[in-house]
Amino acid sequence: MTTVKHKKRVFSGARATGRLHLGNYFGGVKGYIELQNNPEYECLYMAVDMHTITTPYNHKTLREDTNNIILDFLAAGLDPNKAVITIQSLVPEHTELAFLFSSVISVFRMQHLPTFKDKVKQYPSHVTMALLNYPVLMAADILAYKSDLVPAGLDQEPHLEVTREIARKMNDTYGTDFPLTQRFTTQGQYIPSLSGEGKMSKSVSGSYIALTDSLDEIRKKVRSIPTATTAGGQITGGIHTLFTLLKLLSPQDEYQFLQEYQAGTLKFVTLKDRVAEVIFEELQPFQCRRSELEQNPEYVERVIQQGAEKARGLASQTVREVKDKMGLRVGF
Ligand code: TYM
């Protein structure tokens, strides 16, 4: 019993912890769109709400937060005619596969992952089994579809290593045919924080610009990025963040501002206001589409339901195959 795959598969997801930000957009969503538009790939993109419950969260708002991720996906240009778009908890095969996979990877390996250690530091009184299992569930998301590629930011690389390790162990032990999934990188695979330290992150307030921020909010946030008093010298911290964003959004401006920076004539406020402007220019069409979609909840629900149906059809074949090869009973 082996699943036949006709096209190369792509899977990716975003956690339902707050609205998407520029890091998610450049590191994740831009890659999702590029691959959905390539007919060689069959793509699945999900709001991964089961991953959200691995750290403290608000169960009263989770359903709405999850829907907001789907709205962000659709407004950013994910197209249900080209990709499966749905919510992870509607595809229970992922959690079943995660349990099966948890039998081939050690607790020790999970405890030593940098991403696990970071979360332990962030939530010391919430170190749960679900948190430890986070990368195994992610491997199940990806391998349920035997995905070849995962468009994602640099921060997800340790999880992809675990995914490949699980695939190898499953193939060696049980004769499955899981691919060794690679990350698909975009130019914006690492967007630094507005604070100038570390990466832009949903869980660090003041570090990000949400895709739904207004021009005023964007301008205020960009103006508060720390910079030196005079231009010139090495580009680090907040100045690096400004130039990274400018490079992605308006390379011709980047060239000009760099010249001024190096000549020592750059006024940071001029650079900041230009960065805010180009961010807003990029986000404006997204924000218009998003408000239209907010008026059409029936359409969004249909996309989610149809996506879940397709995803279950594919994932259930993998689960049956794995159970069979592992010597378990396969139902009717
Ligand atoms: P999440 O929700 O943190 O982020 C969603 C996507 O955004 C990317 N990203 C960034 N890229 C560049 N610079 C940044 N500052 C930045 N911040 C976030 C992330 O790399 C990701 O691509 N574990 C995943 C969710 C997940 C998943 C999966 C991803 C669950 N199962 C299967 C891919 C495949 C996460 O927490 O992403």
Side-chain angles (χ1 to χ4, degrees):
M1 193 200 288
T2 302
T3 325
V4 182
K5 205 173 75 174
H6 300 286
K7 282 186 178 187
K8 286 192 180 167
R9 290 253 173 84
V10 172
F11 182 95
S12 202
R15 272 171 310 151
T17 29
R19 299 290 175 84
L20 292 191
H21 55 63
L22 283 180
N24 303 132
Y25 180 68
F26 285 117
V29 176
K30 281 266 188 188
Y32 307 174
I33 294 171
E34 194 177 328
L35 292 173
Q36 84 169 1
N37 290 336
N38 183 335
E40 278 175 35
Y41 297 104
E42 186 175 7
C43 302
L44 297 101
Y45 301 125
M46 297 194 190
V48 290
D49 51 350
M50 299 293 266
H51 277 101
T52 308
I53 71 169
T54 62
T55 44
Y57 75 102
N58 184 346
H59 67 274
K60 297 203 171 114
T61 60
L62 179 60
R63 252 192 297 274
E64 194 187 326
D65 296 340
T66 307
N67 264 329
N68 271 319
I69 297 288
I70 299 288
L71 280 176
D72 283 348
F73 278 177
L74 294 171
L78 292 199
D79 179 350
N81 295 314
K82 296 181 179 165
V84 169
I85 299 162
T86 194
I87 295 170
Q88 185 191 30
S89 61
L90 288 171
V91 192
E93 287 75 10
H94 291 212
T95 37
E96 186 170 7
L97 198 56
F99 186 79
L100 301 172
F101 286 171
S102 71
S103 67
V104 297
I105 193 108
S106 74
V107 169
F108 182 83
R109 175 75 172 96
M110 296 294 94
Q111 281 171 325
H112 287 84
L113 273 182
T115 41
F116 176 73
K117 288 184 186 164
D118 285 350
K119 289 287 179 232
V120 170
K121 254 192 229 150
Q122 209 177 346
Y123 307 107
S125 55
H126 205 272
V127 184
T128 61
M129 289 301 295
L131 182 64
L132 190 65
N133 213 40
Y134 185 111
V136 182
L137 179 58
M138 188 160 150
D141 295 338
I142 296 166
L143 296 177
Y145 308 98
K146 302 193 176 173
S147 307
D148 302 282
L149 279 182
V150 168
L154 185 63
D155 58 340
Q156 298 304 311
E157 196 53 49
H159 293 149
L160 279 151
E161 274 166 28
V162 171
T163 303
R164 288 188 287 269
E165 229 168 283
I166 289 177
R168 250 185 239 113
K169 289 211 174 130
M170 291 297 297
N171 293 349
D172 291 349
T173 316
Y174 301 111
T176 47
D177 64 347
F178 288 118
L180 301 180
T181 313
Q182 299 297 317
R183 190 168 61 91
F184 177 79
T185 58
T186 59
Q187 220 197 338
Q189 63 165 331
Y190 184 90
I191 303 297
S193 162
L194 298 185
S195 71
E197 276 172 38
K199 63 165 185 161
M200 189 174 281
S201 163
K202 269 179 243 175
S203 49
V204 182
S205 65
S207 83
Y208 64 87
I209 289 171
L211 303 188
T212 46
D213 281 349
S214 67
L215 178 58
D216 270 358
E217 284 167 314
I218 297 170
R219 206 179 276 132
K220 218 157 107 199
K221 286 183 181 179
V222 174
R223 281 203 175 171
S224 71
I225 295 177
T227 49
T229 39
T230 50
Q234 235 196 331
I235 295 182
T236 54
I239 306 173
H240 173 63
T241 305
L242 287 166
F243 277 110
T244 304
L245 293 170
L246 200 57
K247 185 176 184 174
L248 288 165
L249 291 161
S250 180
Q252 65 280 19
D253 277 319
E254 189 221 14
Y255 178 76
Q256 188 215 317
F257 278 109
L258 261 181
Q259 303 278 322
E260 289 180 26
Y261 180 78
Q262 270 142 11
T265 54
L266 175 72
K267 292 221 168 6
F268 282 111
V269 68
T270 318
L271 168 65
K272 286 177 170 177
D273 285 351
R274 183 63 191 140
V275 169
E277 231 169 71
V278 291
I279 293 173
F280 186 66
E281 278 165 20
E282 176 82 9
L283 296 185
Q284 212 177 12
F286 162 88
Q287 295 183 358
C288 289
R289 276 198 299 271
R290 203 181 192 287
S291 6
E292 281 165 29
L293 286 160
E294 278 166 16
Q295 306 307 313
N296 202 347
E298 297 82 16
Y299 166 74
V300 176
E301 188 53 29
R302 225 172 23 249
V303 168
I304 295 169
Q305 293 294 343
Q306 285 172 357
E309 213 173 292
K310 280 193 211 150
R312 289 201 72 179
L314 299 172
S316 61
Q317 290 178 43
T318 307
V319 170
R320 282 173 75 84
E321 179 191 337
V322 171
K323 283 175 82 178
D324 183 49
K325 292 195 162 145
M326 288 180 77
L328 295 157
R329 290 288 301 268
V330 177
F332 301 104

